[in-house]
Amino acid sequence: MSSQLSTLAIEVVETITALIDPADLRSLRLVCRGLNDKTLRDFGLTNFATVQTDLSAKSLQRLRDISESEHLAFYVQYLHINFGDDGKLGRGLDWPRHPSGCLADEPNGANLLRDILSQKLLKCRSFHIHSYDEYRPPHETDCLIPSDAAGIILSIVAKAGLALKAFTIQCSHHVNGRLWTPRLQMPLSQTPDFVAAWSHIEELVLDYAMTVDQGAWAIHLIASAPRLRKLSLGFYEAETSFTTLLGSLHKLNRLEELSLRSANVTVENISTLLLNNCETLRSLTLRHVSMENDGTWATVLKNMKGQLPHLQYLLLFWLKQETNYYRRVVFSKMTRYPVVPGPEDPGPDKRLRIERRRIESVSEPIRLRYWGGGRRVVGVEYHGVGIDHVLSALADTVETR
């Protein structure tokens, strides 16, 4: 059977191997040279499109080994930087620092990574850095923290001219996910070489607890990315001026996905930002976003109606609204719509309860998010066409508690 399989056209073999488990694919590749060759593409994309590293000596050596394989290096597209088993980055290497705690110029580990990315892994232009809270980080020279890793990648972009496709810094515990500003190598982002390389980026995710002193840097990164399609931002300390600046960026007009977490907005600046991208925006996520200056979310929802023809995904979760003080926004009146029968949907958090309701003239059910065992609807999610009917229903039912 295997000998007959090896005689099939490569397109047919790839159709078959796409249906089998990765472990079985690895076993199949050992059968004969013909199948090994014809399954290389599926094997490479399945096992090496995304490569993990903790920037330790052992991990960087493995990355170098992959980069020196003419068969595997071609398939590496995404580098995910995450902690090792001991919760640390960069173990087994020396990372000399200035008295300020910032890395000294040209650490050996950073140079090795730069050479691998600029000379061998020529398709690896997307980077994901997993973060945690770095309030007053130590000045250790035998390991790194996530802001060091971010600074190293941004330094490589500037010095090697890597034309990035995607850059992500993400913290699983967002509220306590601050980065240490001095270690982000911010001045390098102002250099012409960095700006030229950065101009190719299409996805930017800064979903951690961004502080006020990092706002100008973030705006510069966004303004230098005219091809940006996806933007996700999270904040620790947010100012409405940031969203106003975001809406004033005329080149920021091709977004397909926008996500804001813990931002402060006004009716004017959030409406401007959305309308600037009205011809392309397909997905909008707003979590823990606060409306200021006596504005209302009902006004924003009404402003969106009829203006976002391609929007097909909407998530609103734990919004707030300022009157004399911040009040929680709820959509509890959405329960007037009939329940969609079926098993209860699992929520992203065990404290959340998800319920599906049907709005007339809308193709898909809307998912209501209840917090704990209460009846307050603190979030709504919709994925489908007919978004204007959903916006109308939300505008009519939004209230504060």
Side-chain angles (χ1 to χ4, degrees), residues 174-216:
H174 173 267
V175 175
N176 295 317
R178 291 165 290 184
L179 294 185
W180 196 242
T181 300
R183 300 191 185 183
L184 292 173
Q185 305 276 17
M186 288 184 178
L188 285 175
S189 66
Q190 303 289 335
T191 63
D193 289 341
F194 178 92
V195 172
W198 189 262
S199 66
H200 297 272
I201 197 167
E202 297 179 5
E203 298 182 9
L204 177 60
V205 177
L206 302 176
D207 195 6
Y208 66 97
M210 194 188 312
T211 52
V212 170
D213 62 331
Q214 296 166 6

Side-chain angles (χ1 to χ4, degrees), residues 89-109:
L89 296 171
R91 287 297 196 191
L93 293 168
D94 185 38
W95 302 98
R97 298 184 182 276
H98 296 296
S100 64
C102 298
L103 289 175
D105 293 337
E106 309 290 338
N108 290 336

